[in-house]
């Protein structure tokens, strides 16, 4: 395990852009962090930026759990824009993580701040900027990611320590065939998740000092140890060169685990 950056204040949400650079957030400092060629820089955006998703144009979308919003940063003109802050007249419930489907719809989790109240939900912000809840009654929904088929959606539910599997219908913008997939265990539970192109699922198990590598065909698992006990998220290099990038909050690090597996953009 290689340490790429130290001294980060609650890092989260690593994501690769199409040039192979890495973006992450420094949640407690209100920064985005850009990493390339062993160098990193900080971009102050304020709030508590959380998960990251990068659209096809290279714009950085991120959750803000303090401002209860979905925001985006344009690295080309250096502007930050707030996209949405409420649903049905109420503030969003501390957005946590987000991802795009192949049609450009944005899906994101809203867990709130309680692992046990069961009021978390998933949202879809479609291309027409219409925002809807697509699944409710969740116990701290956290990381989410599409499998290689771009239709099967997996959602980490930290409060129950389960990862859920469901079909995403981009035409109706609804989730279907919702089922529990695997219980991860751990002191607190699964946080961010990511897939490689072979449908291997990687889940950061917060509080338990490891990434859980899960074979989605037979549900066999392997633990990838981390130096600190609080891995928050991970992402695989789509080119299969830089390996698995891991953010870890206890020690404030961006970590690299060598792998030739290719991630999904």
């Amino acid at each position: 395990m290689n340490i790429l950056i130290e001294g980060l204040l609650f890092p989260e949400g690593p994501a690769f852009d199409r040039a192979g650079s890495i973006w992450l957030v420094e949640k407690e400092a209100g920064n985005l962090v850009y990493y390339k060629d062993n160098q990193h820089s900080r971009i102050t955006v304020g709030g508590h930026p959380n998960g990251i998703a990068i659209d096809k144009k290279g714009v950085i979308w991120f959750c803000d759990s303090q401002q209860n919003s979905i925001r985006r940063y344009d690295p080309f003109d250096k502007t930050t824009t707030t996209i949405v802050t409420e649903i049905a007249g109420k503030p969003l419930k501390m957005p946590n993580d987000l991802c795009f489907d192949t049609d450009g719809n944005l899906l994101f989790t809203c867990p709130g701040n309680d692992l046990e109240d069961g009021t978390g939900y998933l949202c879809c912000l479609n291309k027409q900027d219409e925002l809807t809840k697509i699944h409710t009654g969740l116990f701290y929904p956290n990381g989410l990611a599409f499998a290689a088929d771009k239709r099967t959606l997996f959602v980490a539910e930290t409060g129950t320590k389960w990862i859920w599997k469901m079909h995403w219908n981009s035409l109706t913008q609804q989730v279907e065939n919702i089922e529990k997939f695997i219980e991860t265990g751990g002191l607190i539970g699964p946080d961010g998740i990511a897939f490689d192109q072979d449908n291997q699922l990687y889940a950061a198990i917060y509080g338990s000092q490891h990434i859980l590598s899960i074979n989605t065909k037979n549900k066999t698992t392997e633990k990838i140890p981390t130096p600190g006990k609080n891995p928050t998220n991970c992402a695989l290099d789509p080119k299969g060169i830089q390996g698995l990038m891991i953010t870890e909050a206890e020690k404030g690090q961006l970590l690299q685990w060598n792998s030739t597996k290719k991630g999904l953009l």
Side-chain angles (χ1 to χ4, degrees):
M1 190 73 67
N2 302 309
I3 300 171
L4 302 184
I5 308 176
E6 294 190 271
L8 297 166
L9 297 177
F10 209 102
E12 245 283 11
F16 283 88
D17 65 19
R18 294 180 183 275
S21 304
I22 301 152
W23 291 83
L24 58 144
V25 303
E26 194 177 17
K27 180 181 174 184
E28 298 298 332
N31 295 325
L32 302 182
V33 179
Y34 175 76
Y35 178 91
K36 186 177 183 179
D37 298 332
N38 298 316
Q39 301 291 325
H40 70 276
S41 58
R42 289 174 166 88
I43 299 135
T44 300
V45 295
H48 282 171
N50 211 333
I52 281 181
I54 304 176
D55 68 20
K56 293 178 181 179
K57 296 179 180 179
V59 175
I60 314 302
W61 293 65
F62 60 96
C63 294
D64 190 322
S65 58
Q66 184 182 66
Q67 298 183 11
N68 293 312
S69 61
I70 302 298
R71 304 169 67 194
R72 68 185 179 201
Y73 171 75
D74 189 326
F76 308 105
D77 65 16
K78 315 297 184 186
T79 58
T80 304
T81 308
T82 297
I83 305 302
V84 63
T85 61
E86 60 180 37
I87 186 167
K90 295 183 178 180
L92 291 172
K93 198 175 177 67
M94 299 179 68
N96 187 292
D97 203 359
L98 69 177
C99 65
F100 285 100
D101 71 4
T102 53
D103 294 327
N105 300 304
L106 182 71
L107 280 66
F108 62 92
T109 55
C110 282
N113 61 359
D114 192 321
L115 293 175
E116 301 177 350
D117 69 1
T119 61
Y121 54 85
L122 308 183
C123 284
C124 174
L125 179 67
N126 68 17
K127 293 179 292 182
Q128 293 74 40
D129 292 329
E130 298 166 335
L131 181 62
T132 56
K133 289 183 183 180
I134 57 174
H135 191 32
T136 60
L138 294 168
F139 293 82
Y140 209 96
N142 201 324
L144 74 171
F146 282 103
D149 65 7
K150 306 295 186 180
R151 297 185 302 273
T152 307
L153 179 68
F154 287 74
V155 179
E157 189 180 31
T158 310
T160 62
K161 302 179 184 178
W162 277 91
I163 294 176
W164 291 76
K165 176 183 177 182
M166 57 196 77
H167 176 77
W168 169 242
N169 188 326
S170 61
L171 295 178
T172 63
Q173 293 170 17
Q174 294 180 345
V175 286
E176 305 164 344
N177 304 323
I178 300 168
E179 61 182 77
K180 286 183 173 180
F181 176 68
I182 192 168
E183 188 174 15
T184 64
L187 182 63
I188 296 175
D191 197 330
I193 60 176
F195 272 96
D196 68 23
Q197 292 180 9
D198 296 325
N199 270 339
Q200 190 82 3
L201 176 60
Y202 302 82
I205 310 301
Y206 193 87
S208 297
Q209 206 160 345
H210 68 268
I211 302 294
L212 191 65
S213 176
I214 305 162
N215 184 316
T216 55
K217 293 180 181 179
N218 59 23
K219 298 186 182 181
T220 56
T221 62
E222 177 184 354
K223 292 181 180 180
I224 302 170
T226 57
K229 67 181 180 182
N230 294 333
T232 58
N233 211 332
C234 55
L236 275 152
D237 181 2
K239 297 179 182 178
I241 299 171
Q242 299 184 68
L244 183 71
M245 297 294 169
I246 301 165
T247 46
E248 197 285 316
E250 183 195 19
K251 294 182 179 295
Q253 296 171 332
L254 175 66
L255 304 166
Q256 177 195 44
W257 182 71
N258 291 328
S259 173
T260 57
K261 294 284 188 178
K262 295 181 178 181
L264 302 174
L265 273 173

